[in-house]
């Protein structure tokens, strides 16, 4: 049986790795260069042990073992005391496996991808901190404890997105990610402040305002056996504050603009951000407080509509993206929209099941993008093509990831996405907004299939179009600055085994992960996992366990037909463009293409108009007024006081020596009289 120290070790091992690399190995690398590689191995060992412990914890919990360790007092604030503790429920146990497992694969892949980088040890120190922060967030039993790790995740992403900080684009992307996610975090912080001011009310009911299970209890109505402390408008604003933090971290509309620019970091960083850490944190936050959201119908509607809109909105931008990592970034925003929409219609199990499967196929797709960049020297798909011949393993694994993303039977993405669609449709009887969500997500399936196979065709099919060498030649001929991440290096061959091996394991996961919750019960995984196990296990962590509906063949057929239609359309447009050219204005030119390529001009709205014009002008005008009227006024007042006091003192300095002893004697007499009176 696991003990509390062993559970904390899942978090503390990557923390130790971060400290050892940063304080011991990195300073010694200049004298012993071989220690750089040791930093990678140390991170891999720490996460490997953490992954093994996470599997052990999940397996023990699934067999009915309940781990409950008492929290430890951190800050004594009276009724609002802050306690450090472990919340080991089904959601935590599943997320630990996802975070440590995907992170382990990414760190192994990075050994080859980052080989030769002069900041190799710094990279692994940051990655250790990033993984530890997400693990701490998942384990937290207290909302303040969660917020600390929430901000550490944001800090880590800032450091890694701007890892190559000598590149202006990377530095700008890191700042953009940090600032935009902080905007959402203001809402999260306001929610915590609200709970702080409710601490006495919580304490009167024997609850702690910061303890997460107590917050669930406070939101449940008295009629349902809860405390009913937070209700009505207060409950709505609490939910919206939490959701604001999730919108920022998970790149949901309208705080989505940072996520595509985050591709300026190393590709393994992008894989980790998009699969298991940064963006997954937002969905995890809503999932963690789902019992609170479920008590507010308006909050659930907001989550559902924003998620559904984001799913379609982001997918349209992927149609016109030429950078393979940006296509994947828009895909992540879209898939997170699916998860948010599912949470909003009450499909808790399906949403978190999709978060689970998404981690594997999205990490695979990003590592595939890094693999083709390793060969072609560019991320621009317009300069790729024909790579399936020279990179058969990368091609096959990327194809598996794309098919899973699209939701083709029987891959992992099919089971989780199909369950979201089914539950959205079934929820429409009680909540009409769910019908809107269902059709929006079905449109998202079509768009996802189209842009995914556009990416497959442009990258792997046709003829090779020159790679980074040709791209640099073209931009130089056009008199433009060289794009970041593009090199003359073109090596049309398969990536090293240390890169392909993690992709292969993720590819297997992208195939079989869906069978962990296969609702039609086709077989068992090694005879240990019953059908529908994962979603039922997740539901067991809720007071009112939500059971997944029976498998629907009709919904499976509909979703697969729509997905295959999107694939077929992409093939017609890109493989045989002469046979079907009417969509060219959508993807290759014209007003619609420009609108999509410019991301609906949201960057121009935020940076060009709001920041550089409105905010800048208001700031300049305000600071100018303060400078002229407040600062200058204070300085002028001080000068006037000094001049006039000096004039008064000067009157006493008349130059007559006999007056000075008289003044001294008078002063002494006054002091003596006061002493006699007061003494």
């Amino acid at each position: 049986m696991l003990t509390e120290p062993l559970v904390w070790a899942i978090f503390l091992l990557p923390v130790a790795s971060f400290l050892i690399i940063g304080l011991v190995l990195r300073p010694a690398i200049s004298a012993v260069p071989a220690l750089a590689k040791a930093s990678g191995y140390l991170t891999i060992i720490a996460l490997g042990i953490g992954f093994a412990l996470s599997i052990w914890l999940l397996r023990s919990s699934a067999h009915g073992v309940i781990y409950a360790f008492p929290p430890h007092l951190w800050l004594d604030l009276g009724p609002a005391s802050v306690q450090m503790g472990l919340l080991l429920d089904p959601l935590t146990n599943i997320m630990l496996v996802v975070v440590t497992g995907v992170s382990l694969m990414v760190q192994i892949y990075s050994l080859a991808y980052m080989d030769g980088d002069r900041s190799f040890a710094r990279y692994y120190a940051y990655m250790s901190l990033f993984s530890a922060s997400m693990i701490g967030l998942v384990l937290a039993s207290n909302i303040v404890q969660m917020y600390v790790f929430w901000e550490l995740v944001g800090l880590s992403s800032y450091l890694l997105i701007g890892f190559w900080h000598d590149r202006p684009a990377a530095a700008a992307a890191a700042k953009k990610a940090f600032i935009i996610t902080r905007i959402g975090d203001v809402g999260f912080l306001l929610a915590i402040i609200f709970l702080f001011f409710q601490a006495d009310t919580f304490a009167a009911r024997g609850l702690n305002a910061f303890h997460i299970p107590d917050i669930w209890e406070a939101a449940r109505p008295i009629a349902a056996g809860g405390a009913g402390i937070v209700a009505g408008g207060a409950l709505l604003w609490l939910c919206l504050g939490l959701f604001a933090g999730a919108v920022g971290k998970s790149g949901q509309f309208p705080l989505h603009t940072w996520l595509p620019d985050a591709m300026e970091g190393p590709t393994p960083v992008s894989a980790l951000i998009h699969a298991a850490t940064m963006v997954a944190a937002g969905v995890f936050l809503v999932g963690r407080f789902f019992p609170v959201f479920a008590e507010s119908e308006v909050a659930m509607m907001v989550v559902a509509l924003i998620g559904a809109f984001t799913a379609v909105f982001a997918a349209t931008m992927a149609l016109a993206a030429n950078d393979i990592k940006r296509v994947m970034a828009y895909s992540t925003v879209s898939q997170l929209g699916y998860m948010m929409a599912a949470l909003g219609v009450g499909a808790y199990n399906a949403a978190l099941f999709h978060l689970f499967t998404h981690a594997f196929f999205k990490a695979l797709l990003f590592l595939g993008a890094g693999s083709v960049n390793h060969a072609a020297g560019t991320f621009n798909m317009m300069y790729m093509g024909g790579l399936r011949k020279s990179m058969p393993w990368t091609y096959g694994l990327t194809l598996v990831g794309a098919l899973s993303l699209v939701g083709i039977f029987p891959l992992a993405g099919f089971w989780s996405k199909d369950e979201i669609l089914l539950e959205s449709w079934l929820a429409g009887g009680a909540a009409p907004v769910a019908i809107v969500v269902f059709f929006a997500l079905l449109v998202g399936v079509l768009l996802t299939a189209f842009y995914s196979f556009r990416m497959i065709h442009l990258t792997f099919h046709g003829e090779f179009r020159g790679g980074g060498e040709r791209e640099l030649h073209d931009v130089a001929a056009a008199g433009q600055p060289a794009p970041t991440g593009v090199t003359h290096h073109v090596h049309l061959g398969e990536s090293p085994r240390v890169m392909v091996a993690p992709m292969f394991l993720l590819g297997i996961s992208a195939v079989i992960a869906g069978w962990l919750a296969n609702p039609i019960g086709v077989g068992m995984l090694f005879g240990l996992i019953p059908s529908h196990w994962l979603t039922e296990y997740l539901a067991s962590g809720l007071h009112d366990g939500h059971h997944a509906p029976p498998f629907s063949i009709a919904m499976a057929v509909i979703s697969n037909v729509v997905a295959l239609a999107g694939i077929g359309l992409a093939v017609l447009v890109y493989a045989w463009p002469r046979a079907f050219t009417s969509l060219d204005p959508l993807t290759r030119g014209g007003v619609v293409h420009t609108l999509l390529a410019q991301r609906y001009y949201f960057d121009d709205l935020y940076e060009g108009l709001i920041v550089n014009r409105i905010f800048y002008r208001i700031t300049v005008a305000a600071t100018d007024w303060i400078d002229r009227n407040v600062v200058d006024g204070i300085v002028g007042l001080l000068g006037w006081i000094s001049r006039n006091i000096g004039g008064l003192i000067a009157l006493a300095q008349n130059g007559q020596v006999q007056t000075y002893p008289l003044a001294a004697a008078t002063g002494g007499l006054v002091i003596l009289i006061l002493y006699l009176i007061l003494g």
Side-chain angles (χ1 to χ4, degrees):
M1 179 178 287
L2 282 174
T3 61
E4 185 178 4
L6 283 176
V7 179
W8 278 112
I10 301 173
F11 161 69
L12 292 174
L13 283 169
V15 171
S17 171
F18 164 69
L19 293 174
I20 293 171
I21 295 170
L23 300 178
V24 179
L25 295 183
R26 192 161 175 256
I29 286 174
S30 57
V32 187
L35 289 177
K37 280 286 186 182
S39 63
Y41 298 135
L42 183 62
T43 302
I44 290 169
I45 291 170
L47 287 169
I49 296 173
F51 179 59
L53 290 173
S54 299
I55 292 288
W56 186 6
L57 176 63
L58 176 61
R59 193 172 185 280
S60 300
S61 177
H63 282 79
V65 180
I66 298 175
Y67 294 99
F69 304 112
H72 307 278
L73 183 63
W74 179 24
L75 297 173
D76 189 359
L77 302 176
S81 61
V82 181
Q83 300 170 326
M84 294 282 285
L86 301 169
L87 180 53
L88 301 178
D89 66 347
L91 177 58
T92 298
N93 300 337
I94 292 291
M95 285 298 298
L96 283 176
V97 173
V98 171
V99 175
T100 56
V102 172
S103 185
L104 177 62
M105 295 298 102
V106 169
Q107 308 315 327
I108 295 172
Y109 178 95
S110 299
L111 285 174
Y113 191 88
M114 297 299 293
D115 189 26
D117 192 287
R118 56 190 177 88
S119 298
F120 187 89
R122 177 167 62 90
Y123 169 84
Y124 272 101
Y126 289 168
M127 287 294 249
S128 296
L129 177 63
F130 201 7
S131 300
S133 301
M134 188 63 192
I135 293 169
L137 172 65
V138 168
L139 287 169
S141 66
N142 185 288
I143 194 171
V144 177
Q145 178 187 352
M146 175 182 277
Y147 187 75
V148 170
F149 291 115
W150 181 270
E151 294 301 333
L152 278 174
V153 167
L155 171 64
S156 302
S157 66
Y158 168 79
L159 295 172
L160 285 163
I161 293 169
F163 179 76
W164 290 311
H165 49 76
D166 53 335
R167 299 177 181 175
K175 288 186 290 184
K176 185 176 182 179
F178 193 78
I179 292 170
I180 291 179
T181 53
R182 295 290 76 68
I183 294 171
D185 291 352
V186 170
F188 191 2
L189 182 58
L190 289 174
I192 295 174
I193 293 172
F194 166 76
L195 292 171
F196 174 77
F197 284 109
Q198 298 295 315
D200 290 332
T201 307
F202 273 72
R205 303 289 185 87
L207 303 175
N208 185 306
F210 293 147
H211 190 55
I212 293 172
D214 288 353
I215 298 172
W216 300 342
E217 189 71 14
R220 286 202 329 166
I222 296 175
I229 296 173
V230 184
L235 176 62
L236 173 61
W237 286 108
L238 173 63
C239 292
L240 293 180
L242 294 170
F243 185 56
V247 165
K249 276 287 193 292
S250 288
Q252 298 296 281
F253 178 86
L255 301 181
H256 62 281
T257 56
W258 70 269
L259 205 48
D261 290 347
M263 300 303 97
E264 294 293 338
T267 300
V269 171
S270 302
L272 194 55
I273 286 177
H274 287 253
T277 51
M278 179 79 165
V279 299
V283 176
F284 173 80
L285 178 65
V286 178
R288 172 58 80 210
F289 288 96
F290 183 78
V292 179
F293 280 85
E295 301 299 338
S296 174
E297 184 177 344
V298 176
M300 292 287 278
M301 183 178 68
V302 170
V303 174
L305 290 177
I306 288 182
F309 177 79
T310 304
V312 178
F313 177 73
T316 59
M317 290 186 283
L319 298 174
N322 292 330
D323 185 305
I324 188 172
K325 288 210 299 181
R326 287 185 186 271
V327 173
M328 294 300 100
Y330 291 126
S331 170
T332 299
V333 176
S334 179
Q335 296 304 304
L336 293 167
Y338 274 82
M339 300 170 206
M340 290 295 190
L343 287 166
V345 299
Y348 171 84
N349 314 28
L352 296 172
F353 179 29
H354 195 52
L355 179 63
F356 176 78
T357 59
H358 176 266
F360 299 112
F361 62 72
K362 186 51 60 69
L364 172 60
L365 287 169
F366 268 106
L367 297 188
S371 183
V372 295
N373 169 257
H374 187 267
T378 181
F379 289 107
N380 192 331
M381 297 183 296
M382 296 297 123
Y383 292 92
M384 295 182 187
L387 295 179
R388 67 186 178 90
K389 302 172 185 176
S390 54
M391 307 182 73
W393 280 99
T394 297
Y395 170 65
L397 291 167
T398 305
L399 183 61
V400 167
L403 289 169
S404 189
L405 168 64
V406 173
I408 298 298
F409 177 86
L411 302 179
F414 162 76
W415 299 109
S416 54
K417 187 179 290 186
D418 189 68
E419 193 161 322
I420 291 175
L421 292 171
L422 177 60
E423 295 213 37
S424 299
W425 174 258
L426 294 176
V433 70
I435 296 298
V436 176
V437 170
F438 169 76
F439 284 107
L441 298 184
L442 203 59
V443 171
V445 172
L446 180 71
L447 297 176
T448 301
F450 187 89
Y451 70 67
S452 297
F453 276 81
R454 171 181 181 263
M455 179 268 293
I456 290 290
H457 176 79
L458 292 177
T459 303
F460 295 103
H461 292 268
E463 298 297 326
F464 184 63
R465 294 182 289 277
E469 186 173 359
R470 176 66 181 275
E471 184 177 5
L472 289 173
H473 176 270
D474 288 350
V475 297
Q480 298 174 352
T484 59
V486 180
T487 67
H488 286 284
H489 169 74
V490 175
H491 174 67
L492 296 185
E494 191 56 82
S495 296
R497 291 179 181 177
V498 72
M499 292 173 67
V500 173
M503 291 172 60
F504 181 74
L505 294 175
L506 289 169
I508 293 175
S509 300
V511 173
I512 69 170
W515 297 91
L516 291 177
N518 175 10
I520 59 175
V522 181
M524 316 272 272
L525 185 64
F526 305 118
L528 299 176
I529 306 297
S531 64
H532 234 315
W533 170 80
L534 185 63
T535 49
E536 294 297 329
Y537 176 65
L538 284 167
S540 68
L542 300 177
H543 285 293
D544 303 316
H546 172 76
H547 298 284
F551 179 72
S552 171
I553 296 178
M555 187 59 69
V557 171
I558 291 171
S559 65
N560 270 266
V561 167
V562 172
L564 291 172
I567 293 172
L569 200 55
V571 170
L572 288 172
V573 172
Y574 292 99
W576 297 289
R578 293 184 181 179
F580 199 91
T581 59
S582 62
L583 282 185
D584 279 358
L586 175 65
T587 55
R588 299 185 182 179
V591 176
V592 176
H593 174 270
T594 302
L595 184 65
L596 299 179
Q598 294 298 322
R599 314 178 199 179
Y600 294 96
Y601 293 97
F602 268 88
D603 285 310
D604 295 286
L605 172 65
Y606 290 163
E607 298 180 39
L609 180 62
I610 295 177
V611 175
N612 294 335
R613 293 190 181 181
I614 297 175
F615 183 75
Y616 177 76
R617 289 180 180 179
I618 291 174
T619 304
V620 168
T623 53
D624 180 64
W625 185 89
I626 293 171
D627 184 59
R628 286 186 291 103
N629 294 277
V630 179
V631 177
D632 289 353
I634 292 173
V635 172
L637 178 63
L638 292 174
W640 181 87
I641 292 172
S642 299
R643 287 195 304 272
N644 286 277
I645 290 177
L648 291 173
I649 296 174
L651 293 176
Q653 303 297 322
N654 55 14
Q656 297 179 359
V657 178
Q658 61 270 27
T659 61
Y660 299 154
L662 178 62
T666 302
L669 181 62
V670 170
I671 293 172
L672 178 62
I673 292 171
L674 291 173
Y675 175 76
L676 292 173
I677 293 173
L678 300 176

